[in-house]
Amino acid sequence: MQTIHDHFTQTAEVMQGKTLFERPGQPDISFARMRDMVERLAGALTDLGVSPGDRVAAQIEKSPEAIALYLATLQVGGIFLPLNPAYTGSEIDYFIGDAAPRLFVCDPAEAAGHAHRASDALAVETLGADGQGSLTDRAAAATPREDVHPCGPDDRAAILYTSGTTGRSKGAVLTHGNLTSNTQALLDCWRFDANDRLIHALPIFHTHGLFVAANMALVSGATMIFLTKFDADQAIDLMARATVLMGVPTFYTRLLKSPRLDRQTTAGMRLFVSGSAPLLAEDHRAFHDRTGQMILERYGMTETCMIASNPYEGARIAGAVGMALPGITVRITDRETGTPLPAGEIGLIEVKGPNVFQGYWNMPEKTASEFRPDGFFITGDLGTIEADGYLRIVGRDKDLVISGGYNVYPKEVEEAIDALPGVLESAVIGLPHADLGEAVTAIVVAKDASLDPDAIRAALAGHLARFKQPKRVIVVDQLPRNVMGKVQKAELRRLHAGLYDQAHA
Ligand code: MCA
Ligand code: AMP
């Protein structure tokens, strides 16, 4: 089989001087230049002692060089481990302790804070948003590597950490087979090819930005208009020169806020894709009314890459995520018994296919508990497949908040709050938020004297990445519990449903 790296090399051979990365105000980068960068970085990785199977952890800003580091890691048979730059030092301590990488690459501005990590077993290098750093210097001095470590479909390509319901983050191990098969399925399904010009405004440390958007361009020969972050006005300006946008629902909520979004500004675009969180059916319809274009909603998960998609040709239904991608099987099962359910009934969404990950790094028991004996992976999402064949997600069986496309597991936030002085207990919930879909919100009970909500938010700042921190903290006398003593989060969500109605903050 061919890996994403193999496909990229072949495409670069054909595309040569064609632009791969276009960036406002900066020089374009061609496929040939990118291939050269990858080969030099592969040489630098070898010089640093990265061998097949070694992990390369990268907590770096978005840049073409960061994508080159990903491809170079695949070339030498390494396992790429991207990390959100928003993670704090204590969060990074855990990932490095768990994954034991051979190399950790950080931003030059953060180098002093990470210097203590360097040892015989772990090299620490830097790479900045401008593409400069100690790793770039090493690459410039290295002998470019053209040879490629051979990898099969079951060999490991990447680890992506996802938080867990028990508090400990889990490293989802994705294979070359997972990445290649999913990219190919999406290229076919969305008719994506070298003629496309993709507005890439997503972060590249998650599946959506790296394994969906970037992989599709790297393999097909399309051009990426590569933006460091999403800005609705900038995206609308760029639509005249682009064909496809891939985004989380917050992108579409923000685009709809602009009076400039209309048929004319979107006329050259052939596809708008949404995923990572539920797209409001009203946004789906409003987008169509304003632009004449139907957003194509799809469904995926870190552990499974993309699972289902609305069709390119055929009805794109608001509130539905479409049909399983070719080669992938989706079924709905009873929450209690695991028995498959007939069409139209609501149950757990389970998935099987070449897209499904190998397991959690160093967690065989956790892995086993999330698979059925017949190989189906239990997503933890609740859904139904109607007689029309479309999958609809109706809720989650897992305690999870999705804020602006980022997953936040309440348990992790609750543990951080409960450890603060003066706190008796807490419950963290997601409440409807016009911009982010859901906003992380903490309901806290004081031990005895009163508690200052602002002091709680300030105390969390050093421990948790910004997107996990509660937007609001509410202090209450007690939490509602059921007869078993379990906190009733549904009741809390109902009680505080209108909290963010007035403002975004
Ligand atoms: C930024 N902030 C956030 C978020 N993003 N807080 C909560 N949730 C967020 N998502 C914080 C900032 O640190 C800032 O805090 C304040 O909120 C306002 O920031 P703002 O400028 O509005 O944010 P932004 O930079 O415009 O970012 C919003 C965003 C971004 C564009 C929605 O979060 C984003 O790009 N999300 C995409 C995430 C993603 O790629 N998910 C895919 C996961 P302060 O003011 O205090 O500094 S992969 C996945 O889920 C599966 C596999 C799938 O199906 O794809
Ligand atoms: P993550 O663990 O970050 O990969 O997030 C995966 C989760 O995002 C899924 O289990 C779903 O709960 C959610 N998700 C992804 N795409 C969609 C979608 N189109 N609609 C609803 N939820 C989605």
Side-chain angles (χ1 to χ4, degrees), residues 201-203 205-209 212 229-230 248 250-251 254 275-277 298-303 305-306 402-407 435-436 438 440 466-469 471:
L202 289 159
F205 44 79
H206 276 311
T207 294
H208 199 165
V212 178
K229 61 173 283 188
F230 178 75
V248 295
T250 300
F251 284 20
R254 291 185 182 183
S276 307
R298 57 58 177 182
Y299 162 56
M301 210 178 153
T302 301
E303 288 90 334
C305 302
M306 296 305 101
I402 306 184
S403 165
Y406 285 130
N407 284 13
D435 184 47
L436 297 169
E438 292 176 346
V440 176
R466 182 73 190 86
F467 68 90
K468 297 180 192 169
Q469 294 168 29
K471 295 276 177 209

Side-chain angles (χ1 to χ4, degrees), residues 113-328:
H114 291 298
H116 69 281
R117 302 188 190 284
S119 70
D120 286 349
L122 176 65
V124 176
E125 297 288 333
T126 64
L127 179 59
D130 59 0
Q132 299 303 311
S134 65
L135 187 65
T136 320
D137 296 343
R138 280 186 182 276
T143 309
R145 268 189 77 163
E146 282 188 25
D147 62 307
V148 180
H149 180 79
C151 288
D154 295 333
D155 287 325
R156 298 157 171 191
I159 299 178
L160 293 190
Y161 275 89
T162 72
S163 304
T165 39
T166 50
R168 258 189 84 195
S169 289
K170 307 165 288 181
V173 179
L174 293 156
T175 64
H176 287 277
N178 296 149
L179 302 186
T180 304
S181 68
N182 213 239
T183 302
Q184 246 141 13
L186 294 174
L187 290 174
D188 288 348
C189 186
W190 299 343
R191 313 281 192 272
F192 194 97
D193 64 24
N195 297 313
D196 276 310
R197 296 172 53 80
L198 170 71
I199 299 178
H200 192 304
L202 289 159
I204 53 169
F205 44 79
H206 276 311
T207 294
H208 199 165
L210 189 58
F211 299 146
V212 178
N215 275 356
M216 288 176 74
L218 294 169
V219 169
S220 67
T223 294
M224 286 189 264
I225 304 176
F226 211 57
L227 309 171
T228 46
K229 61 173 283 188
F230 178 75
D231 176 89
D233 263 321
Q234 183 185 34
I236 293 172
D237 286 339
L238 289 168
M239 283 177 195
R241 294 191 293 118
T243 60
V244 179
L245 173 72
M246 296 179 193
V248 295
T250 300
F251 284 20
Y252 294 101
T253 309
R254 291 185 182 183
L255 285 170
L256 280 163
K257 281 221 161 105
S258 169
R260 294 176 54 221
L261 183 87
D262 57 25
R263 278 172 192 265
Q264 211 180 334
T265 44
T266 57
M269 295 286 289
R270 70 168 186 90
L271 181 61
F272 291 91
V273 180
S274 176
S276 307
L279 178 69
L280 287 174
E282 66 197 62
D283 279 358
H284 196 284
R285 283 188 277 268
F287 200 88
H288 182 246
D289 291 346
R290 292 268 291 280
T291 67
Q293 307 227 25
M294 283 283 200
I295 298 172
L296 184 153
E297 186 171 10
R298 57 58 177 182
Y299 162 56
M301 210 178 153
T302 301
E303 288 90 334
T304 62
C305 302
M306 296 305 101
I307 299 171
S309 171
N310 272 280
Y312 187 75
E313 279 150 19
R316 299 178 194 169
I317 299 180
V321 293
M323 275 74 69
L325 291 167
I328 297 174

